[in-house]
Amino acid sequence: MNRYERLTALLELLAARGRLGTDEVAVELGVSAATIRRDLDHLAEQQLLSRTHGGAVAQAVSYDLPMRYKTSRRADEKQRIGRAAAALAGPGSVVGLTGGTTVTEVARGLATRSDLDLTVVTNALNIAGELVVRPRVKLVVTGGVARPQSYQLIGPLAARIADELFLDLAFLGVDGLDPVLGATARHEGEAELNRVFAAHADRVVVVAHSSKLGRRALAKVVGTDQVDVLITDSTASDQTIAPYLERGVEVQRV
């Protein structure tokens, strides 16, 4: 486990438990206590946790893992999902891209398709930064207030602009996709803008790692009946995807 993976693991453990002990976590991650102390000091400097004698306690931000610590998680699966999703776009398509690491891989998949001239609408600053230099992509960025944890623009201004646009495809990143309750997100502002994207799209495509299936988060995005396609990784079992198929969702496992 490299340092980047260790920092991610520490934040995830802290989010789940609220408090960590240095010696306990050192054994759990298979490294020395001195290494864990240095890692916790580094995260405390970034105000992602508070140090205590012998460990650390969570701050509110720890419950929403910053995107820079998410990018290395399940990277291979997300890249496959991204390429499969990008293959759905046709020449001249107007495509909506929300934020998140998996949707970022969709953007990269679209960028490498030399056969496409497309219009991309996004509220994600990192995606906009990658696509703005692509000559075959017309880029439309919503306004709004930037959310540092996810690089997404949210709020009334972002929703107002998105509400004026029409999409052939909307690619949604989610924090959970329950077969009964539908797609959900941890942050209500992101959920609201994702919902606007979906409402203005001919087809709604949820791109989600299999770990998100059957889960739900705080805020509803859309119901399952509004999802046309689900693209997930090949570790999703037949039993896991069956409820989505029963509700008429086209499922791709890649």
Side-chain angles (χ1 to χ4, degrees):
M1 180 180 290
N2 61 36
R3 189 184 190 216
Y4 200 78
E5 292 169 333
R6 252 191 350 266
L7 294 173
T8 300
L10 286 169
L11 287 172
E12 290 180 326
L13 289 171
L14 194 59
R17 302 173 186 176
R19 177 180 295 272
L20 296 177
T22 301
D23 294 337
E24 168 194 0
V25 177
V27 172
E28 193 167 345
L29 299 184
V31 296
S32 69
T35 296
I36 295 298
R37 281 193 290 271
R38 286 193 295 271
D39 289 344
L40 293 177
D41 288 342
H42 173 74
L43 293 171
E45 288 171 4
Q46 298 186 53
Q47 300 183 356
L48 295 173
L49 52 78
S50 296
R51 289 287 270 122
T52 63
H53 179 70
V57 295
Q59 292 185 355
V61 73
S62 299
Y63 289 90
D64 190 2
L65 195 64
M67 189 170 173
R68 65 184 179 275
Y69 290 108
K70 294 181 183 178
T71 52
S72 67
R73 296 162 60 195
R74 307 181 178 103
D76 291 342
E77 294 99 324
K78 291 178 181 180
Q79 287 168 8
R80 292 198 302 272
I81 292 169
R83 287 193 295 269
L88 297 179
S93 295
V94 180
V95 173
L97 299 176
T98 66
T101 54
T102 308
V103 181
T104 298
E105 293 301 335
V106 178
R108 290 168 180 163
L110 291 170
T112 58
R113 285 193 57 186
S114 59
D115 59 321
L116 287 185
D117 286 301
L118 0 141
T119 299
V120 171
V121 180
T122 187
N123 68 315
L125 294 172
N126 65 306
I127 289 175
E130 293 202 24
L131 294 183
V132 71
V133 297
R134 301 289 179 171
R136 301 178 73 95
V137 175
K138 176 182 178 180
L139 180 65
V140 179
V141 182
T142 69
V145 178
R147 187 165 181 266
Q149 290 88 347
S150 63
Y151 305 152
Q152 291 188 63
L153 298 168
I154 60 173
L157 180 58
R160 190 183 315 144
I161 292 174
D163 197 40
E164 298 293 327
L165 304 173
F166 297 93
L167 311 171
D168 296 306
L169 289 164
F171 292 103
L172 306 184
V174 300
D175 293 310
L177 183 64
D178 183 280
V180 176
L181 300 176
T184 54
R186 289 193 186 97
H187 192 273
E188 65 281 0
E190 293 177 5
E192 178 188 13
L193 200 61
N194 289 6
R195 190 159 51 247
V196 175
F197 272 50
H200 288 262
D202 288 339
R203 297 184 81 200
V204 174
V205 182
V206 169
V207 289
H209 188 271
S210 57
S211 61
K212 306 286 183 69
L213 303 184
R215 294 175 57 184
R216 63 187 181 195
L218 171 68
K220 182 176 180 177
V221 179
V222 293
T224 312
D225 60 337
Q226 295 170 271
V227 177
D228 297 295
V229 183
L230 164 64
I231 303 180
T232 189
D233 60 276
S234 57
T235 60
S237 66
D238 291 344
Q239 183 179 5
T240 298
I241 67 167
Y244 304 99
L245 294 171
E246 290 170 2
R247 286 165 175 79
V249 179
E250 176 189 332
V251 180
Q252 292 186 32
R253 287 181 288 185
V254 296

